[in-house]
Amino acid sequence: MDKKISGKGKAETALHLLICFIIGIYPLLLFELDFGSFYIQSLVLFTAVMGVLLYSFLLIRSGAWRLKLFQSRLDVVVLALTAYAVLKIIIKMIRMTETKIERFDPEIMILTMAVLYLLITVKPMFTERYLDILLFSGLIVFALLLVKYLCVGETGGVLSALIQDKTQVTSCGVASYAMLVCMAGLWRYVKCEDRLRSFFYAGVLSVGFLVMFINQNIVSIWMMIIVFIVFPVLQRPTAELVKRDMQIFFLYLFMLCNMSLLTNYTDLLQVTVNYDLKQSVYLELLVAVGGIFFFKFWDRIPKGVDTKRLVMRKMRRSYQFLLKLMCIIFAGILLGGEYWKELPDEGSLTAVKGFAVPLVEEVWQNKNAFYMCFEQFGVIGSLMLLILCVLLIGKLKKGYGFDKPVTSMLILISSVFLIQLLFWGISINTLPIYWIFLSLAITYREEKVRVISNIIKFE
């Protein structure tokens, strides 16, 4: 019995170290080193994951670790994709000659993600230290990006793997990573009860927002706004959670409104960034109107009530309405297409045109992940990936619950990742991290948080 417990502990420790490596150290491999058939990121990640898998296999004999296969349709699809990737590698190796070098990065990433999913499903475990590791690693990446934006200016060098998206018009890799770190920072800030640590999380979020705004990926700016609105909808909307979420949301909008001053009236930035002053004024007006409605709800809270236990259900319904409205506006802008350019430059129509045209251009000019899948894997492989996404969405929907806050947070990060696939390609630096959180979202078994509700009637 002692040997089995010890072996299980070793298996869990190996997986824990692997997750910490992928979340904290792997994103720092920002330089490009091409070995001809694959990049260094693919090689390092594949080696680390396969090493843990081999170590886990050695523990099977002692009964400390065991495979869990064919327990769901999702497992079958993952195994089918793995077999397809192996077959593609064999075919490419047969076709490869001295003059024609084949690339194996897509297939290696599929194999790596499949093994990572297998390791996590055997023993799904989550600790909020993962988010702190991600935040510390994100600070290093953000610092390097700010050096580029504020001092250097040119692209390449140590940041080439994250900045030079070869199939994208904008830096979608930076946008995806910044959103990931900001979502983790938002969760830690909202749930933190220590004043000093709260300042740290707010500082990380401020730096992340600055990087996101300088990068100026319009889709990521919209999606982050939606994240702030979704947060009190997915989580139990206690007054304390709503207050802290709105504090960071105000910080986000305040920085966004003032980016036009930074870009038009200072010479701090060494990269080309354009923010219109009129649009900033209109956005500030919207923030003021939204603030009036928010404080109208907030002032109804009785004095002396514990804000950590007060659940604001009516405000949650308001957030749901606002979320639906924003999704309709977002879809309407995309469906309007090129016709937004035909709007006259008069009054408020100028602001609408200024918001709509850059968003449409960015969405339609970038290659999304599904197009790249058909380009890389053909019809069969792409259909299997689409089936995988459908099954993942079903699993996420099934696992959601008010009484599982950590799982809800993982579902939010996973949903943002799946939505990104509609607009951007897959970044090799962020895919493994998102995949870890996605795998945990569908496999992690969280203890339910039980609460007793009492209705408070406001005068």
Side-chain angles (χ1 to χ4, degrees), residues 90-103:
I90 295 173
I91 294 174
K92 284 186 175 182
M93 291 179 67
I94 294 173
R95 293 188 308 184
M96 190 166 58
T97 62
E98 293 182 358
T99 57
K100 183 181 179 182
I101 299 177
E102 297 283 351
R103 298 208 64 88

Side-chain angles (χ1 to χ4, degrees), residues 242-259:
V242 171
K243 181 185 76 172
R244 285 176 166 264
D245 180 57
M246 288 299 100
Q247 286 174 342
I248 300 300
F249 191 24
F250 174 77
L251 173 65
Y252 180 87
L253 293 177
F254 176 79
M255 293 179 64
L256 179 59
C257 291
N258 288 279
M259 282 302 297

